[in-house]
Amino acid sequence: MSLNGGAIFLLGLMAFYGVVTEATPVKFGNCSDVTEHISAMTVDVTPCSTTPCEFKKGTNVTCTISFTPTEEVSNGTLKVYGKLGPVKVPFPLPNPNACSDHGLTCPLKSGVPVELTITLPVKSEYPSVTVVAQFELEDQSNNDVFCFQVIVKIVDAYENVEA
Ligand SMILES: *[C@@H]1O[C@H](CO)[C@@H](O)[C@H](O)[C@H]1NC(C)=O
Ligand SMILES: *[C@@H]1O[C@H](CO)[C@@H](O)[C@H](O)[C@H]1NC(C)=O
Ligand SMILES: *[C@@H]1O[C@H](CO)[C@@H](O)[C@H](O)[C@H]1NC(C)=O
């Protein structure tokens, strides 16, 4: 097994802050600390049958986000973080360019509903912890188009025997 720098940083932070065991309400929708440029949004996370969402290591999780931008988006960058207290640890995405391979045709027009799909690989080297995952789409000026949070529990896959 190989660990990348991000995974080691994540492990270190989790050791420092401890595992978040307290159930925090799932918050699909606005993040309190950012200004958004959408008029409506729905989020579907698959698989996620219960709260918190269980993300199995070695699988892909798919998030389908329907939203209507209130400003034109000519280019966008997707960001996913695990939030540990005040610290945001990036989850690396295979393709952070929102305008390529995510089901969008850029530029997005103001007032026109669109649907975006994110495939998130749950890496086997991630620690088994519960975190607040924050998903953001930043536009060409680094403004947030949308932001939402979901409580995620990272778990071992049944078939994986981990050392
Ligand atoms: C986010 O906040 C704005 C402004 O308060 C509101 O109009 C919008 O409906 C909210 N979006 C969601 C998904 O809750
Ligand atoms: C996850 O998605 C990636 C990229 O689409 C693909 O290469 C990989 O095989 C998928 N893994 C699983 C377990 O489905
Ligand atoms: C669009 O954003 C991506 C990152 O998400 C960047 O790699 C690309 O260069 C940008 N394209 C333009 C035309 O600015």
Side-chain angles (χ1 to χ4, degrees), residues 21 27 43 154:
T21 50
K27 200 170 129 192
V43 177
I154 300 172

Side-chain angles (χ1 to χ4, degrees), residues 28-31 34 36 38-43 66 146-148:
F28 284 110
N30 291 341
C31 303
V34 296
E36 302 182 326
I38 47 165
S39 63
M41 179 168 69
T42 62
V43 177
S66 304
F146 65 67
C147 178
F148 66 92

